[in-house]
Amino acid sequence: MTASGLQGAPVTKLWLTGIGLASALAGLFGWRHNLRLQLAAAPNGLQLWRLLTSLSGFSTWPEVLAALVLAYELRVVERVFGSRRFASFLVVAGIVGQALTVAAMQLAGLRAVAGGPYALLLACVCQYWRLVPRSYYVRVAGVAVPDTWGVYAAAACLVAPRLLVAAVPAAAGVVAGMAYSADVAGLGRWRLPLWMASLARQWLAPVASARSASTEADVASEHVDAIAGMFPDARREHIAEVLRMVGNDADRAVAMLLDSS
């Protein structure tokens, strides 16, 4: 049985809320132009605050809808990583993705690219592709596609309509995700400080947590015990979430935890 909704994915829940809220406020107060990442906005060629605002929300509602659907589907990545590592990954992907985007804009002579967390979302798609195995194939319009096709279709729906201005940040996100997976310069090993994670858990968990009281109720306790012995640093709730994702298959759960470690 797979965990429903945003159970076990508090960071994803906060991220979804942030994207929707930032996009709504930008539209309501006429700030949509501030969401673009552009190089010609200041005498020095870049307003640094745009590096943050361009990751906060989208300027059109079709983009917002596609992004929310995609981010929701990508909650699986947080369940495999664990919340602290997933939050650390978002920080790394944001920094690397923005740096690559700015470098590509300078090389290509582009003045601006589409605003929105394209780099973060596409970096997450890379992790999804690496971590989530295909379980079966389904037929869509007569073509056999893996059961994971929905995530890639949502990513295509997000990027394709604005391909000319979204290609650079999207590609930067893919490269950032690949660099994280390959642990280039230790990117994959970096974690948010424990004090920061503890503070976030204390203040944000009551708002963001969607975990049920019976976290381990629908998985085999002997599997949780056995895997906990192999991964002593992993929380039991995290192990239970991974077991749910793979249909209580202990071997596949171990393989996913090894891939994400």
Side-chain angles (χ1 to χ4, degrees):
M1 178 178 176
T2 302
S4 60
L6 290 167
Q7 179 180 328
V11 176
T12 302
K13 183 177 181 180
L14 285 174
W15 190 21
L16 282 164
T17 304
I19 291 175
L21 185 61
S23 303
L25 290 176
L28 182 63
F29 293 103
W31 297 337
R32 288 176 177 172
H33 62 282
N34 291 325
L35 298 178
R36 291 181 299 173
L37 182 59
Q38 56 189 52
L39 296 180
N44 62 358
L46 177 66
Q47 291 175 328
L48 294 179
W49 53 266
R50 289 182 181 270
L51 294 173
L52 292 177
T53 59
S54 62
L55 290 176
S56 61
F58 293 91
S59 58
T60 68
W61 286 113
E63 287 177 295
V64 175
L65 178 60
L68 293 180
V69 171
L70 179 57
Y72 179 81
E73 293 296 330
L74 291 170
R75 70 197 186 280
V76 176
V77 177
E78 180 179 355
R79 289 174 179 164
V80 176
F81 274 5
S83 295
R84 182 189 174 205
R85 184 182 178 188
F86 183 68
S88 304
F89 162 73
L90 290 180
V91 172
V92 170
I95 293 173
V96 175
Q98 292 294 71
L100 291 173
T101 299
V102 171
M105 291 171 67
Q106 291 177 331
L107 289 173
L110 299 175
R111 296 183 59 187
V113 295
Y118 285 98
L120 291 179
L121 289 164
L122 270 295
C124 284
V125 171
C126 284
Q127 303 309 308
Y128 182 93
W129 175 82
R130 182 175 69 90
L131 295 171
V132 181
R134 296 185 295 271
S135 300
Y136 54 87
Y137 282 80
V138 296
R139 288 199 168 271
V140 178
V143 179
V145 296
D147 58 310
T148 55
W149 72 277
V151 168
Y152 309 119
C157 290
L158 174 65
V159 177
R162 305 195 68 194
L163 183 61
L164 293 179
V165 289
V168 169
V174 171
V175 175
M178 294 172 62
Y180 184 89
S181 298
D183 196 24
V184 174
L187 294 176
R189 287 170 286 165
W190 183 81
R191 298 290 185 273
L192 288 171
L194 283 174
W195 66 266
M196 189 178 295
S198 178
L199 191 64
R201 190 176 297 112
Q202 178 181 353
W203 291 100
L204 299 179
V207 177
S209 179
R211 193 184 305 279
S212 67
S214 57
T215 304
E216 300 179 30
D218 54 353
V219 297
S221 60
E222 61 269 22
H223 290 343
V224 177
D225 292 337
I227 296 174
M230 300 171 61
F231 299 89
D233 293 333
R235 292 180 297 110
R236 293 180 65 87
E237 294 86 351
H238 181 202
I239 295 171
E241 294 289 354
V242 175
L243 279 168
R244 283 196 193 89
M245 289 169 50
V246 296
N248 217 21
D249 187 324
D251 291 336
R252 290 179 64 193
V254 169
M256 292 184 72
L257 288 167
L258 285 172
D259 284 342
S260 67
S261 61

